[in-house]
Amino acid sequence: MTSDSRSDEHAQYDFIVVSNRLPVDRVIDAEGVETWQRSPGGLVTALEPVMKASEGAWVGWAGKPDLQLAPFTDNGTYLVPVPLSPGEIEQYYEGFSNDTLWPLYHDVIAPPSFHREWWDAYVSVNQRFADASARIAAPGATVWVQDYQLQLVPKMLREQRPDLTIGFFNHIPFPPYGIYAQLPWRKQVIEGLLGADVIGFQRVADAGNFSRAVRRLFGYATRTPEIHVPDGPSGHRSVIAKAFPISIDVASFEELARRPDVQARAQQIRDDLGNPSTIMLGVDRLDYTKGIRHRLKAFGELLRDGATKPGETVLVQVASPSRERVAAYMQLRDEIELTVGRLNGTYATISHPVVSYLHHGYPREEMVALYLAADVMLVTALRDGMNLVAKEYVACRHDEDGVLLLSEFAGAADELKNALLVNPHDIDGLKESMLQAMRMPQRERTTRMRALRRRLVDNDVARWSQSFLDTLRHANHHSDAR
Ligand code: GDG
């Protein structure tokens, strides 16, 4: 999709989404002409119907440093690029967002770095996003802010525009107080979030952690899901903190999985791997939260023990490149690639690798073909807000076959109870579950997959955005009535 037209500078919108990244990527074609391509992310798909119905606007960074771009309309949505300098990308994005908040919110699996200059950049970039949103919001508009990079925006917006209805959704976990309390700016972040009318989380436990942090740090009264925030000399506002588990566009994944060319590709993948009895698959951004090392360790031990052998089982691991300028990610890549090299060096034969490791991003069709080719899907995250890969695997398996092995530390485990739930820290347990998955009788595979699919179909991404926005609408009426 390319940009349609430039729009006028004084346009005002009733519905605005604010996220770190705009839903489009800038591409320069062979003739050097600049166009915009819709990024394939879940959020874009989730909000597409809502954006279309409301002729909404989207505020976000265009993904390249120092781009000063005028707002433009793309496919019916008004896009407002927020510029970031190279220094801000380093301090606000790679620094505070991805090296302070990300590890802190994922149970300090990696040590978070706390730097005051990074915080200063986070504050000033959040202010820029808030200002850009306030400028284009019509009186009484609804603004939906997304994710941990922008936690201060709700309060900043409310200060400028008390007429707005403000929602916030946190895509990653919210940690227990004992961990959250490490953050030197713990009070400012919570004050930032409490500027919203509704704060959405992935799991009930995340919403609970947030409400507890509010009680501990501010002593505000809470009555689940409401938090009473003092407002004005004697009154208070009520803020809702509640779980809205995100999902995927189930029908579009299933449609791809039914396409004959995608099915042929799945067969081709199986053939190319030498038609082993079991193909195990991992699909993750290369991130230390995803438990890739744990899964490699367990698989390596199964090979060492002789519980499975090359030619019989192969592990395909797609590790898509991510945050490559952050030190912890460079180190993780080295460790994983060393481990994969050792496993193949020790156990593979010329005709049979034991791990097929792919450090690439792939088109969605190829991902779906991989899901169809995989007998066992490994989702072993040490901590994960939701994990959409688990849901995508289930959506693709219209043949009601395949086994999902799912970490209980991924948000998806709250819903996908018919998966084989695992504690990835327990390597023996992980090995047993892998073997159980490899040997599971057809009938049990079908019973489990059928139940998983029922659950997923009931709760797809349209339902997620609808229920969040319904709650937001209702929350606002509630305050009006006071
Ligand atoms: C955050 C939270 C939460 C991956 N590699 C390729 C590719 N992907 C796609 C997957 C999936 C998405 O990226 C990853 O989503 P996850 O949910 O698994 O994980 P995060 O990126 O960490 O997302 C997470 C999510 O936000 C939503 O709220 O669930 O907990 O951490 O859709 O398929 N897609 C393509 N090629 C790849 O190589 N096309």
Side-chain angles (χ1 to χ4, degrees):
M1 244 140 293
T2 54
S3 53
D4 321 325
S5 66
R6 301 277 149 182
S7 301
D8 92 272
E9 277 180 25
H10 306 290
Q12 298 244 296
Y13 294 84
D14 289 323
F15 180 64
I16 299 165
V17 173
V18 192
S19 67
N20 175 59
R21 280 286 272 116
L22 279 175
V24 291
D25 294 317
R26 186 161 169 265
V27 281
I28 313 275
D29 69 14
E31 279 90 53
V33 179
E34 168 198 296
T35 57
W36 293 92
Q37 227 168 44
R38 187 104 58 90
S39 31
L43 190 62
V44 183
T45 328
L47 297 177
E48 199 174 13
V50 192
M51 296 306 276
K52 282 227 164 93
S54 62
E55 295 190 347
W58 197 311
V59 175
W61 174 46
K64 298 266 170 1
D66 275 343
L67 270 186
Q68 298 283 349
L69 294 170
F72 59 98
T73 303
D74 176 272
N75 205 31
T77 302
Y78 187 69
L79 301 180
V80 182
V82 176
L84 292 181
S85 70
E88 286 167 340
I89 294 168
E90 228 170 87
Q91 302 199 322
Y92 144 81
Y93 181 64
E94 292 163 351
F96 200 77
S97 297
N98 288 335
D99 205 16
T100 305
L101 294 171
W102 180 269
L104 186 77
Y105 281 30
H106 288 88
D107 287 356
V108 297
I109 296 166
S113 309
F114 300 117
H115 295 298
R116 285 165 283 187
E117 322 78 73
W118 290 4
W119 165 253
D120 294 341
Y122 187 77
V123 175
S124 65
V125 169
N126 270 248
Q127 189 67 56
R128 190 173 309 147
F129 274 81
D131 294 348
S133 311
R135 264 198 299 275
I136 57 160
T142 294
V143 183
W144 192 1
V145 184
Q146 307 288 330
D147 228 358
Y148 62 102
Q149 302 92 349
L150 300 175
Q151 292 173 102
L152 309 179
V153 170
K155 175 173 185 238
M156 291 168 165
L157 257 182
R158 184 170 293 280
E159 279 169 356
Q160 292 188 49
R161 294 289 306 271
D163 58 303
L164 302 178
T165 299
I166 304 170
F168 180 91
F169 187 77
N170 197 48
H171 290 256
I172 67 173
F174 195 89
Y177 184 70
I179 289 177
Y180 181 72
Q182 289 182 20
L183 184 67
W185 308 278
R186 60 197 186 187
K187 284 191 107 170
Q188 292 95 311
V189 166
I190 287 192
E191 280 171 339
L193 290 168
L194 287 175
D197 296 290
V198 175
I199 310 172
F201 296 92
Q202 301 277 27
R203 305 180 95 156
V204 174
D206 298 318
N209 286 343
F210 177 74
S211 299
R212 267 189 296 282
V214 171
R215 285 198 298 274
R216 292 286 293 268
L217 290 169
F218 295 93
Y220 298 160
T222 60
R223 218 183 72 199
T224 310
E226 277 181 62
I227 302 174
H228 301 281
V229 179
D231 191 30
S234 54
H236 73 266
R237 299 168 41 231
S238 140
V239 174
I240 293 187
K242 193 167 173 264
F244 298 89
I246 200 168
S247 192
I248 56 166
D249 181 1
V250 179
S252 80
F253 275 92
E254 184 165 341
E255 197 179 302
L256 272 180
R258 286 186 187 276
R259 249 171 51 185
D261 58 324
V262 174
Q263 294 188 3
R265 175 65 192 145
Q267 186 54 49
Q268 175 82 50
I269 291 170
R270 291 199 70 95
D271 292 344
D272 289 352
L273 290 167
N275 281 305
S277 324
T278 307
I279 296 176
M280 298 206 287
L281 173 68
V283 171
D284 312 83
R285 279 187 306 99
L286 185 44
D287 193 296
Y288 49 79
T289 59
K290 304 290 184 183
I292 303 171
R293 281 179 298 202
H294 295 63
R295 119 179 34 139
L296 289 173
K297 186 170 180 64
F299 182 51
E301 289 192 13
L302 289 178
L303 291 163
R304 183 200 63 194
D305 302 345
T308 188
K309 54 180 197 292
E312 188 178 89
T313 307
V314 61
L315 168 58
V316 178
Q317 176 64 55
V318 176
S320 35
S322 183
R323 305 177 189 170
E324 292 183 283
R325 284 156 44 113
V326 178
Y329 289 76
M330 297 179 197
Q331 195 191 332
L332 175 76
R333 181 174 174 195
D334 286 347
E335 280 175 38
I336 286 177
E337 295 184 353
L338 179 76
T339 310
V340 169
R342 283 215 176 125
L343 285 175
N344 277 329
T346 310
Y347 300 108
T349 63
I350 286 192
S351 46
H352 296 116
V354 289
V355 182
S356 171
Y357 168 80
L358 307 152
H359 185 248
H360 301 293
Y362 287 98
R364 183 171 282 183
E365 284 80 358
E366 182 73 357
M367 308 297 281
V368 171
L370 280 164
Y371 291 143
L372 288 177
D375 303 292
V376 179
M377 183 78 217
L378 301 176
V379 177
T380 57
L382 307 176
R383 184 52 81 194
D384 213 332
M386 177 55 61
N387 195 291
L388 297 181
V389 166
K391 293 191 169 182
E392 291 166 4
Y393 181 66
V394 171
C396 291
R397 298 313 297 249
H398 54 82
D399 58 353
E400 298 182 333
D401 205 348
V403 181
L404 173 64
L405 204 135
L406 175 60
S407 165
E408 58 192 72
F409 301 110
D414 282 0
E415 296 164 84
L416 302 181
K417 301 235 187 265
N418 285 83
L420 285 185
L421 294 181
V422 295
N423 168 7
H425 297 281
D426 171 10
I427 300 295
D428 283 338
L430 197 49
K431 287 164 67 181
E432 271 165 40
S433 298
M434 283 179 174
L435 286 176
Q436 188 188 344
M438 290 176 199
R439 295 170 183 164
M440 190 178 285
Q442 165 88 54
R443 271 180 64 145
E444 185 181 348
R445 298 202 301 263
T446 304
T447 314
R448 284 178 183 268
M449 188 52 79
R450 202 174 277 159
L452 289 170
R453 290 176 59 77
R454 257 199 306 269
R455 184 69 205 242
L456 187 64
V457 167
D458 282 350
N459 217 351
D460 89 341
V461 74
R463 170 123 182 245
W464 169 76
S465 50
Q466 221 165 53
S467 77
F468 185 93
L469 292 171
D470 283 351
T471 309
L472 191 54
R473 215 166 292 128
H474 185 253
N476 196 34
H477 279 163
H478 207 59
S479 324
D480 286 345
R482 268 165 217 286

